[in-house]
Amino acid sequence: MGLFMILFTLIGGITLSAQSSINGTFSRKAGTIETTLLTFLTGTMFLTIFILFFGSGNVLALLDAPKWQLSAAFMGTMYLLLTVMAVPRIGVIATNIAGIAGQLIIGVIIDHFGWFNSLVIELDAKRAFALLFMIISLYFIYKGNKGSNKENS
Amino acid sequence: MRFISYLLALLAGAALSFEGAIYAELGKTIGQIETSFYNFFMGSIILGLLWLFFGKGKISYTLEAPKWSLLGGVLGVVYLTSIVVSVPFVGVGITMVAVIIGQLVMSMVIEHFGWLGSKKIKINKEKIFAVISMIISLILIN
C-alpha cells in the first residue's frame, strides 16, 4: 500500500510541475492573480461535478469540522503570496530551492512529533541521511541551472 | 535584506507541509475529494477577493488563450488529492519527498524539450546527479 501511495504522490508532483509550466505561460499575458484565480475556479468546477457523481464523503460536515482544519486553505494562499514576494529579490530557482527545503524540514518535524494527529515517524539516522541527500540534490540543481543559464546568455 | 527573502521562501515551503498534514486530517472526516473541493472552493473566494482589490492583469485573456493553457486547475486537483490520500498512509515526510521528486524530474523533462511554452533548457550532468541523489533519498526515507 505504501509503495502504491508513493507512486500516486509522484504523479501528483508530475502534474504539479506541468501545472506550473502551463500557468507560467498563461500568466505572462493574463497576470499572476488572474492565473491563480482561474486555476482555483476551474478546479472548483471540475470537483463539483466529480463530487456529485463520485463523492462518497460528506461536504456538509465541513460546517462541523474544527476550524483549525479549515485554516489549511489559507496556507496555500500564503505559499503563493510569500513566493511572489521572494522571487523578484532572490530569483525563481533560489526561491524554489528554499521553498523545498522548508517543505522537507517541516514535513519531517511534523512526522517526528506527530502534529495534527498524523502518523508518528521518528527522525532517525536513516531519515537524517535522506534529508542530506535531498540537500545534495538541491545543490546540484542549483549548480546545473547556473551552468545552463550561462550557456543560454 | 536578502536573508529575509530566503526566510520568506522557507516559510512558503513550510506552509505547504502544514497544509498537507492538516488536510489529511480533514480528509479523514469529510472525505478526500470533498477536502480537495473545499480547498479549491475556498481558494476561489480568497483569490476572487485578491483579484477584485489587487488584480492588475487581464482576466479576459482566458477567452483568447489556447485551450491547453487553461488546464492548470485540473492538474492542481490531481496534486492536492494525491497528498490528502497519501499522508495518512505514509506520513508527511515521504509524501513531500515523493511530490518534490515528481515535480523536479518532470520540470527537467519539460524544460529539456521546451514543452508547454517553457524555455528550452537542456538536461546536464549536474541535473542527472541531482536525480540520483533524490532517488537515494527516497529509498532511505521509506
Side-chain angles (χ1 to χ4, degrees):
Chain A
M1 197 62 184
L3 192 69
F4 175 73
M5 284 300 158
I6 292 173
L7 282 178
F8 187 38
T9 321
L10 277 171
I11 294 172
I14 289 172
T15 56
L16 191 62
S17 134
Q19 182 202 47
S20 45
S21 302
I22 291 177
N23 279 358
T25 309
F26 186 77
S27 70
R28 256 173 260 149
K29 292 218 175 109
T32 314
I33 296 182
E34 287 74 10
T35 308
T36 318
L37 176 61
L38 181 82
T39 304
F40 277 104
L41 279 176
T42 49
T44 308
M45 292 177 198
F46 175 76
L47 281 166
T48 307
I49 297 175
F50 203 78
I51 280 186
L52 285 175
F53 286 95
F54 306 105
S56 48
N58 182 8
V59 189
L60 295 176
L62 266 176
L63 301 173
D64 306 318
K67 298 301 171 212
W68 65 267
Q69 291 181 2
L70 302 182
S71 70
F74 294 97
M75 297 287 171
T77 321
M78 212 168 95
Y79 167 77
L80 285 172
L81 291 178
L82 291 172
T83 310
V84 170
M85 280 157 79
V87 166
R89 300 196 183 106
I90 55 176
V92 181
I93 298 163
T95 305
N96 282 341
I97 288 180
I100 290 172
Q103 206 175 340
L104 289 175
I105 293 166
I106 296 298
V108 171
I109 293 178
I110 293 174
D111 278 348
H112 182 77
F113 294 105
W115 286 344
F116 310 116
N117 220 355
S118 67
L119 285 182
V120 180
I121 305 172
E122 259 177 67
L123 175 55
D124 54 4
K126 229 176 108 200
R127 283 211 141 194
F129 270 112
L131 279 186
L132 183 70
F133 273 104
M134 243 5 237
I135 291 165
I136 293 172
S137 137
L138 293 177
Y139 168 76
F140 276 124
I141 287 176
Y142 182 72
K143 247 185 98 189
N145 273 313
K146 258 191 159 170
S148 51
N149 277 349
K150 255 181 228 153
E151 280 162 37
N152 284 344
S153 58
Chain B
M1 274 309 153
R2 277 173 76 85
F3 168 72
I4 294 182
S5 301
Y6 279 102
L7 211 64
L8 291 180
L10 271 171
L11 271 176
L16 286 187
S17 279
F18 281 124
E19 184 184 47
I22 298 174
Y23 274 154
E25 197 53 27
L26 185 63
K28 284 181 207 160
T29 50
I30 71 164
Q32 285 127 1
I33 304 169
E34 285 75 10
T35 300
S36 278
F37 170 78
Y38 166 72
N39 176 66
F40 280 86
F41 181 73
M42 195 63 174
S44 301
I45 297 174
I46 298 171
L47 260 303
L49 283 171
L50 284 176
W51 171 66
L52 281 175
F53 287 99
F54 306 108
K56 296 191 198 78
K58 190 176 162 227
I59 197 110
S60 61
Y61 175 69
T62 310
L63 302 174
E64 307 154 24
K67 296 305 169 204
W68 63 264
S69 69
L70 305 178
L71 289 175
V74 176
L75 294 170
V77 169
V78 179
Y79 158 75
L80 197 78
T81 312
S82 75
I83 284 193
V84 178
V85 172
S86 155
V87 167
F89 286 98
V90 294
V92 189
I94 296 178
T95 304
M96 290 306 162
V97 169
V99 163
I100 291 164
I101 292 178
Q103 208 179 335
L104 290 175
V105 172
M106 190 61 185
S107 308
M108 287 177 200
V109 174
I110 290 175
E111 287 186 340
H112 184 76
F113 295 105
W115 286 341
L116 306 172
S118 69
K119 212 171 73 184
K120 222 173 174 167
I121 303 171
K122 285 258 178 296
I123 288 178
N124 52 25
K125 211 170 56 222
E126 284 89 352
K127 289 188 183 173
I128 292 180
F129 282 138
V131 174
I132 295 172
S133 322
M134 276 187 248
I135 292 168
I136 295 174
S137 168
L138 186 63
I139 294 170
L140 282 175
I141 208 167
N142 191 11

